[in-house]
Every structure is written in C-alpha cells, then in structure tokens.
C-alpha cells in the first residue's frame, strides 16, 4: 500500500489521523487519492474480505434461529429468561445480530476501499506510463 503526499511522493508511515478520538475512515483517505494498493496484493485482500463477508452472512442466517423464545417453561422465571436470551440474539443494540451486521458493513466498506485503492494505483501507473512514452518519443 502506498500513501502519497503532495507531489506524488510516497510518505513514510505516520500516526493514524483521528477526529474527536475517532479514527478517520479509510474510505475518505482512499477517495482523496492519497492511498493506492498494488493490484496483486489488493486482490488477495479483497478475496479474504469476501470470504469473511460470506462467513458473517452464514452466521447471520443461522442467528435468525436463535432469536426465538427458548423452551424453558411456562412460568415467570422461564418467560423472563426466554426474553433475555431472545434479546441477546437479536433486538438489542448489543445483540449478536446487531454486532455482526455492523461488522459486515465495515467489511463491505473496507472491500470497496480496497477496490478504489487498486483503481488509484492503476490510474497512477497509467499516467506514469503515458508520461514515460511522451518522454521517450513513442
């Protein structure tokens, strides 16, 4: 991965930018054109991200079976425990489904950023190729 500073130079690694303590999104940095990624490396990363998204999709599909009342028994304690377990699977902001859905969104955003970083690399490579051809007179 290359992070270009003004003038197209590659910058040394630096501290991660934060805003109000939050890490600045990779997508913003990639969209600015400052980050590029070698296509071969990027494709490996994209493949890993797609595999992880498929795994999360599988977990989310199976989690739907967890979000039902547990057969603990028809009594006040059993009813309360069934509600508690059902909320932990789905329905609460900290539930498994909510957390995995948020994780899936981050994976998708990262995948899209990797694609854009590959495009940045290819665009810079094409521009450099054109400039070299002009200089060589071809």
């Amino acid at each position: 991965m290359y992070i270009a500073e003004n003038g197209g130079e590659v910058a040394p690694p630096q501290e991660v930018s934060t805003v109000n303590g939050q890490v600045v999104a990779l997508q913003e940095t990639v969209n600015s054109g400052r980050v590029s990624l070698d296509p071969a490396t990027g494709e490996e990363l994209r493949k890993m991200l797609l595999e992880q998204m498929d795994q999360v999709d599988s977990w989310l599909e199976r989690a739907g079976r967890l979000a039902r009342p547990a057969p603990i028994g028809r009594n006040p304690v059993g009813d309360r425990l069934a509600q508690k377990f059902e909320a932990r699977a789905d329905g609460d902001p900290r539930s498994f489904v909510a957390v995995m859905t948020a994780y899936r969104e981050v994976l998708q955003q990262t995948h899209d950023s990797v694609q854009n970083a590959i495009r940045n690399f290819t665009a810079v490579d094409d521009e450099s190729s054109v400039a070299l051809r002009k200089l060589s007179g071809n």
Side-chain angles (χ1 to χ4, degrees):
M1 176 170 24
Y2 302 95
I3 301 176
E5 291 296 317
N6 294 339
E9 302 163 359
V10 176
Q14 45 188 286
E15 265 189 338
V16 176
S17 302
T18 60
V19 176
N20 294 332
Q22 298 288 326
V23 176
V24 174
L26 174 63
Q27 185 176 14
E28 292 174 18
T29 310
V30 169
N31 289 342
S32 73
R34 291 182 48 222
V35 175
S36 62
L37 189 60
D38 173 66
T41 305
E43 286 304 318
E44 287 180 39
L45 184 56
R46 268 183 12 89
K47 182 181 174 190
M48 288 188 303
L49 289 165
L50 287 172
E51 288 172 3
Q52 188 63 41
M53 285 188 287
D54 289 343
Q55 182 67 52
V56 171
D57 290 342
S58 170
W59 292 337
L60 286 170
E61 182 181 319
R62 288 186 284 164
R65 294 181 287 217
L66 294 173
R68 59 181 168 75
I72 297 175
R74 299 294 308 161
N75 59 61
V77 174
D79 291 343
R80 184 82 172 115
L81 283 173
Q83 289 172 351
K84 178 181 177 180
F85 293 137
E86 185 176 2
R88 284 193 177 161
D90 192 10
D92 180 70
R94 295 174 293 168
S95 70
F96 178 80
V97 170
V99 170
M100 285 295 111
T101 300
Y103 178 55
R104 172 67 166 79
E105 290 172 12
V106 169
L107 288 170
Q108 183 64 54
Q109 290 170 355
T110 305
H111 176 269
D112 296 344
S113 293
V114 167
Q115 277 188 308
N116 290 334
I118 292 169
R119 277 192 217 109
N120 290 347
F121 184 94
T122 305
V124 169
D125 194 43
D126 291 345
E127 290 171 10
S128 298
S129 174
V130 168
L132 283 173
R133 276 191 235 123
K134 284 181 182 179
L135 288 172
S136 67
N138 292 335

